[in-house]
Amino acid sequence: MSTATTQGGPELPQERRLVTEIPGPRSRELFARKQSAVPPGIGTTLPVFVTHAGGGVVVDADGNSLIDFGSGIAVTSVGNAAPRVVERVRRQVADFTHTCFMVTPYESYVAVCEKLNALTPGDHDKRTFLVNSGAEAVENAVKVARHATGRQAVVVFEHGYHGRTLLTMTLTAKNMPYKQGFGPFAPEVYRAPLAYPFRWPTGPDACAEEAAAQAIDVIDKQIGAENVAAVLIEPIAGEGGFVVPARGFLPRILEFCRANGIVFIADEVQTGFARTGDLFACEDEGIVPDIICTAKGIAGGLPLAGVTGRADLLDSVHVGGLGGTYGGNPLACEAALGVLETIEQDKLVERARHIGEIMLARLEALKERYPIVGDVRGRGAMVAIELVKPGTKEPVPAGPIAARCHAEGLLVLTAGTYGNVLRFLPPLVMPDHLLEEGLSILERAISQG
Ligand code: PLZ
């Protein structure tokens, strides 16, 4: 049964295949090495060591082929080792690997920026610059907003996640594991309530309006709108548990920002690039952010992130005020161009919607059968279930069910402020039969309590 493959990518057999226990002996050996070489602060969701990946599967060092419901945390949306990405990177790596765009520029960087300017929401005049990670994109968006407005305060939301650097960990809501012991934190960061329908005290119907009113109250009463440089929000909270804000919340916040000269920054690091069934999640409610941060799915796994926004804001920064050695590395830019071609030519936005229909229907049915499933939510290929003690909203940790899925060869991720969310982020190229098989494994894992 085991096939000795020498290449990853979509040609890998699209099958779940377990030839050892998970993790197998070779992975266990490698994991022992990891434990003596790498600090435990760098955690491991599933300790199988990968040798190949592509389409909807990840193949490990023992020859097991696992169904991938994680995409490396929403990164390999076009699939691992996607052909157009591989081809472009292969050509580029032989031409030149780095010059530093700030020293001697190259065309692919500009081409990626042109694409982002054209494809992100809004037809106003835009600019883009490129950095290496989601956190770096968010930090830079805040720098630009502060510089352009001459104001300092930044407003973020409950359940928000924005990164692990000093500023972005400050912007992040959850203490463990992201902030504990890492203070003191950056100043001038304020947190407002998020319209979390499942947990809103008065129920989902009034959630959007009440949460927006409370958030605006925080700004008006605790900070003063004229002191706020930016409001920063994920259109769907990712690490926080795939919380889709109640409809109407985002437009109300945006309207308030517009009326008060506050820069509205959308963190689309996790939601971007077709993941939610739109190219960007903001499109769902017609949100046009002043600045949008992108990363993850942008380049199929090569490190790249973008800050795209109103030309007047981005142009306000003096020459040399933005940058970094590696930002917009030529390999990553070629990868991004390959990703964008793949999304367009393989119709991956539509494909994400199709995946969403399959997953949401099956998960809703699960919710009917198993009262531990308190909520099913998400859009496109970014969906989740929130686990609760039946009949209550008391969180039930998602770890044990995730572990059962892992043992059966289904890679799933957990999330959520209360650690009780199982989230599903399959590559958008995953074939339907693997999606269905993965959902059946999940169902078995849930049925076991
Ligand atoms: N903004 C919305 O989801 C990264 C974090 C993994 P970087 N999310 C995955 C982990 O535990 O470190 C993320 C995000 C949103 C920003 C970031 C940060 O992106 O590329 O990890 O810096």
Side-chain angles (χ1 to χ4, degrees):
M1 267 292 277
S2 119
T3 42
T5 45
T6 52
Q7 269 207 324
E11 301 303 319
L12 274 183
Q14 294 298 297
E15 61 179 10
R16 181 177 67 113
R17 185 182 68 236
L18 298 188
V19 295
T20 69
E21 61 184 331
I22 302 291
R26 179 74 187 125
S27 279
R28 284 205 301 272
E29 232 175 84
L30 290 165
F31 192 68
R33 274 172 59 194
K34 183 233 174 204
Q35 280 177 305
S36 24
V38 182
I42 303 291
T44 307
T45 300
L46 170 52
V48 300
F49 278 70
V50 176
T51 56
H52 300 84
V57 300
V58 167
V59 175
D60 75 13
D62 292 285
N64 300 295
S65 175
L66 288 79
I67 300 176
D68 181 11
F69 272 16
S71 299
I73 324 189
V75 171
T76 53
S77 299
V78 297
N80 253 294
R84 295 180 189 87
V85 172
V86 171
E87 185 46 37
R88 280 179 168 275
V89 172
R90 218 196 278 282
R91 259 186 277 137
Q92 180 62 46
V93 78
D95 286 349
F96 66 96
T97 46
H98 174 81
T99 63
C100 186
F101 187 76
M102 304 181 304
V103 176
T104 46
Y106 38 88
E107 182 177 349
S108 57
Y109 184 117
V110 180
V112 171
C113 296
E114 287 168 346
K115 289 264 183 212
L116 287 173
N117 293 343
L119 294 171
T120 49
D123 48 20
H124 52 285
D125 199 15
K126 290 178 215 150
R127 301 281 187 268
T128 292
F129 64 99
L130 301 174
V131 291
N132 302 292
S133 68
E136 215 186 326
V138 171
E139 288 242 13
N140 275 283
V142 170
K143 279 169 68 173
V144 169
R146 283 178 168 161
H147 195 278
T149 58
R151 305 173 179 181
Q152 294 186 354
V154 180
V155 175
V156 287
F157 293 83
E158 288 170 357
H159 312 287
Y161 181 91
H162 301 288
R164 291 180 183 266
T165 60
L166 174 58
L167 177 58
T168 59
M169 115 180 123
T170 306
L171 297 168
T172 292
K174 192 175 175 179
N175 179 52
M176 268 306 270
Y178 307 120
K179 303 168 86 162
Q180 178 61 37
F182 297 139
F185 302 107
E188 289 303 320
V189 173
Y190 301 86
R191 197 166 306 281
L194 177 72
Y196 188 162
F198 180 66
R199 293 195 175 274
W200 196 253
T202 61
D205 293 342
C207 176
E209 201 179 313
E210 290 179 11
Q214 290 181 19
I216 288 167
D217 222 45
V218 168
I219 296 176
D220 269 339
K221 301 295 181 298
Q222 296 180 31
I223 318 165
E226 70 275 25
N227 300 316
V228 177
V231 163
L232 166 66
I233 190 163
E234 302 161 82
I236 297 177
E239 302 301 308
F242 287 17
V243 180
V244 184
R247 281 193 90 74
F249 178 75
L250 292 171
R252 179 71 193 98
I253 298 294
L254 177 64
E255 178 190 40
F256 180 81
C257 289
R258 292 274 192 272
N260 290 280
I262 298 169
V263 177
F264 183 99
I265 305 173
D267 179 345
E268 289 239 23
V269 166
Q270 191 153 162
T271 51
F273 299 100
R275 174 56 52 191
T276 62
D278 286 299
L279 196 52
F280 296 101
C282 279
E283 292 167 38
D284 185 65
E285 284 190 274
I287 299 294
V288 177
D290 297 309
I291 298 179
I292 175 167
C293 300
T294 54
K296 290 190 184 280
I298 191 175
L302 277 87
L304 188 71
V307 180
T308 302
R310 275 168 39 200
D312 62 311
L313 298 175
L314 271 77
D315 286 350
S316 79
V317 177
H318 48 274
V319 173
L322 302 167
T325 303
Y326 294 118
N329 168 273
L331 301 174
C333 287
E334 287 295 335
L337 295 172
V339 162
L340 291 169
E341 283 164 13
T342 305
I343 289 174
E344 195 185 334
Q345 289 169 24
D346 294 355
K347 300 198 167 23
L348 294 185
V349 170
E350 290 81 350
R351 185 72 208 146
R353 289 189 184 212
H354 171 78
I355 289 173
E357 280 162 24
I358 293 180
M359 294 219 284
L360 286 171
R362 291 224 20 208
L363 295 173
E364 286 293 348
L366 271 187
K367 183 176 162 211
E368 294 306 308
R369 288 190 60 186
Y370 303 102
I372 188 176
V373 180
D375 196 26
V376 174
R377 57 183 180 243
R379 283 206 305 270
M382 181 171 186
V383 303
I385 57 178
E386 178 161 356
L387 305 178
V388 293
K389 212 171 132 213
T392 74
K393 293 200 173 165
E394 205 182 302
V396 170
I401 292 178
R404 262 178 249 143
C405 293
H406 295 167
E408 293 301 317
L410 173 67
L411 170 49
V412 292
L413 306 175
T414 59
T417 299
Y418 313 102
N420 66 330
V421 173
L422 282 164
R423 56 171 156 169
F424 313 115
L425 294 160
L428 306 179
V429 294
M430 173 170 289
D432 286 1
H433 75 270
L434 282 184
L435 198 59
E436 297 280 5
E437 189 179 350
L439 289 163
S440 299
I441 292 168
L442 174 72
E443 172 154 17
R444 274 203 300 284
I446 289 175
S447 72
Q448 290 160 12

